[in-house]
Structure formats: C-alpha cells, structure tokens
Amino acid sequence: MSAERDQERAQERALELADSLERVRQRVAEAERAAGRAAGSVQLVVVTKTFPAVDVRLLAGCGATDVGESREPEAGEKARACADLPLRWHQVGQVQTRKAGAVAAWADVVHSVDRERLVAALERGHARALERGERPAGHVLDVLLQVDLADDDERDPGRGGCAPAEVPQLAEAVAGAAGLQLAGVMAVAPAGVDPRGPFERLAEVAAALRAEHPRASAVSAGMSGDLEAAVAAGATHVRVGRAVLGARPAIV
Ligand SMILES: *Cc1c(COP(=O)(O)O)cnc(C)c1O
C-alpha cells in the first residue's frame, strides 16, 4: 500500500516537473521573441539546490541539459549521484575559497568568481581533480565573473560579486590560469529595485569584457522572478530554481 503510494507520489512529481519546466521554457521563448532575439539563444540552467538527485533525474528525462547547484557537500554528492546523465553542471552560488577544490571536482561552469584568491584556488583544485581522474583529460572549467551591480555604498558581501572596475584585472587572472576558461559575466539583481537598470549595466560590463576577450560571451542573469528583464537586456543564461522545482526553505 505504502509502496504504491510512493510510486504515485513519484509519478505526480514527474508530471509536476515536466509541466513547470515546460512553462519556464515558454517564458524564455516568449522573452526571446519579445526582445527580437533568436529562438534558443538563451540557455536555461535549472537550479536544483535543496532538491534531491531524483528530481535532477526527472528533469534530465524532460530534456533539461544544464543544472545549477550552490552548496557543498550537497552539490558534489548530487552531481556524483547523477554522473551517468548527460548534464552540464553549474556552480551558481558563492564559493568559499576552501571549498574551491570540492567545486572543481564536479562543476563544468562556475558563475560566481569574484576575487583572485578564488581563481588561484580553482586552478589548483581543477588540476588536482584532473590528476585524480575526477575530471576527464582535457576538461576545462568555464568561469564567469560575478559582478555586483549595486552602488558602491550598497554592496552586499553576502550576495557576492566584484565591482565593475575590478573586472579587467580579474579577467586577466582567469585568462592566465591553466585549465580555466574565461566565459563571461554573471550577476544577481540587487533586491528591491527594478532589475532592468542593473541588467543593462551588466550588458555594458559584458560588452567591455568581450572587447578584450572575444570568447567571453556568456551573460548569466535572471532568475525565477526576473528572467524576462534579463533576456531583454541580453542574457545568454538564465538560472531558474523555484519556478521549476517549487518553493525552497528560506535559508538558501
Ligand atoms: C538559488 C539561485 C538561483 C535560482 O533562484 P530562483 O529564484 O529559485 O529562480 C539563481 N541564481 C543564484 C546565484 C542562486 O543562488
């Protein structure tokens, strides 16, 4: 009886995720159209933090290709539990320097690099992961620079991100690091403001970066609440959690 009920719940969850993923895909497609951008020009990264590996598996079954995580050890454990799936794994949240090695063992993209010490720690951690065979030979870790778009006196260290003025030097550090590839920029819109201004600002930072590093073309911006504004401003990646998976405990 209870096994039956479990199976019923699993089926319900599968339907629920398929449905919400489809709705978010439609939101992205509509935002692309509204912005006059090509269909499929925005990559959806489904942020699965706090949700179990079984949800990641269901999402992969619905065609999700990119998933985002935030915290150790949950992230690494989930990525290893799903290693058989054809997924690209993104670290979207802040990375403590001492956790960089753990992140480099599973992530394909780190969106939140905001200081040189973290670049050095990721470079070392990635080299070690290659040595240990945790990453296939030739694996490259894509790195986005997280930019804090708040005014100088309103920077929130909890949200992370470097000042726009720090981007060029940090970009050089990543470009010079073995095994890391500078891929673009990322931002989280400051709370309580219209996100359009900050996202336009990010687009300017991204254009300046591309002028020096033409391959660093990714712009990661937009979450469940503001993905339309991000796509309108030129985001190439949106990071969506709640709108696909449902509410999370408030701590993350
Ligand atoms: C959790 C998280 C997201 C997803 O946020 P939702 O509001 O659930 O869509 C996106 N980006 C970062 C950096 C996050 O930590």
Side-chain angles (χ1 to χ4, degrees):
M1 184 60 201
S2 122
E4 251 170 53
R5 212 176 309 126
D6 284 352
Q7 203 184 352
E8 210 172 285
R9 268 202 211 104
Q11 271 167 7
E12 264 167 34
R13 181 62 169 159
L15 290 174
E16 183 176 271
L17 287 178
D19 195 52
S20 55
L21 181 63
E22 184 51 31
R23 263 181 288 139
V24 169
R25 283 179 173 148
Q26 281 172 10
R27 275 177 68 187
V28 172
E30 179 52 38
E32 287 170 339
R33 259 195 306 279
R37 299 181 54 191
S41 53
V42 177
Q43 176 67 55
L44 172 61
V45 178
V46 183
V47 180
T48 50
K49 65 189 180 195
T50 77
F51 291 95
V54 60
D55 280 353
V56 175
R57 212 160 268 286
L58 290 170
L59 290 163
C62 299
T65 56
D66 290 70
V67 292
E69 283 290 329
S70 180
R71 288 198 308 188
E72 294 302 323
E74 175 198 343
E77 285 166 4
K78 210 180 297 177
R80 280 183 284 278
C82 295
D84 58 308
L85 300 171
L87 290 170
R88 194 163 161 77
W89 289 85
H90 300 249
Q91 166 68 26
V92 300
Q94 288 302 288
V95 181
Q96 293 171 269
T97 308
R98 66 191 172 85
K99 301 277 175 66
V103 170
W106 61 267
D108 298 302
V109 189
V110 179
H111 288 233
S112 47
V113 171
D114 59 2
R115 57 199 188 278
E116 290 192 39
R117 281 189 59 200
L118 179 55
V119 175
L122 283 171
E123 183 181 21
R124 282 194 304 275
H126 187 257
R128 216 173 307 129
L130 283 169
E131 269 165 35
R132 290 182 182 153
E134 291 164 341
R135 310 316 319 246
H139 180 270
V140 170
L141 182 59
D142 277 346
V143 165
L144 309 191
L145 305 182
Q146 184 177 350
V147 183
D148 186 342
L149 300 166
D151 295 334
D152 280 336
D153 52 348
E154 285 174 4
R155 291 238 147 75
D156 170 5
R159 196 173 48 231
C162 67
E166 293 169 335
V167 165
Q169 195 179 335
L170 199 52
E172 291 306 325
V174 175
L180 308 190
Q181 179 156 287
L182 181 65
V185 293
M186 176 274 222
V188 177
V193 305
D194 184 330
R196 286 177 294 184
F199 289 155
E200 290 296 341
R201 189 97 206 286
L202 180 66
E204 288 165 18
V205 173
L209 178 68
R210 268 197 316 275
E212 296 297 320
H213 302 271
R215 290 168 70 194
S217 58
V219 181
S220 167
M223 320 200 311
S224 294
D226 57 14
L227 73 86
E228 284 82 3
V231 172
T236 62
H237 292 68
V238 293
R239 311 176 307 271
V240 179
R242 289 169 299 146
V244 175
L245 288 125
R248 296 183 288 276
I251 46 159
V252 180

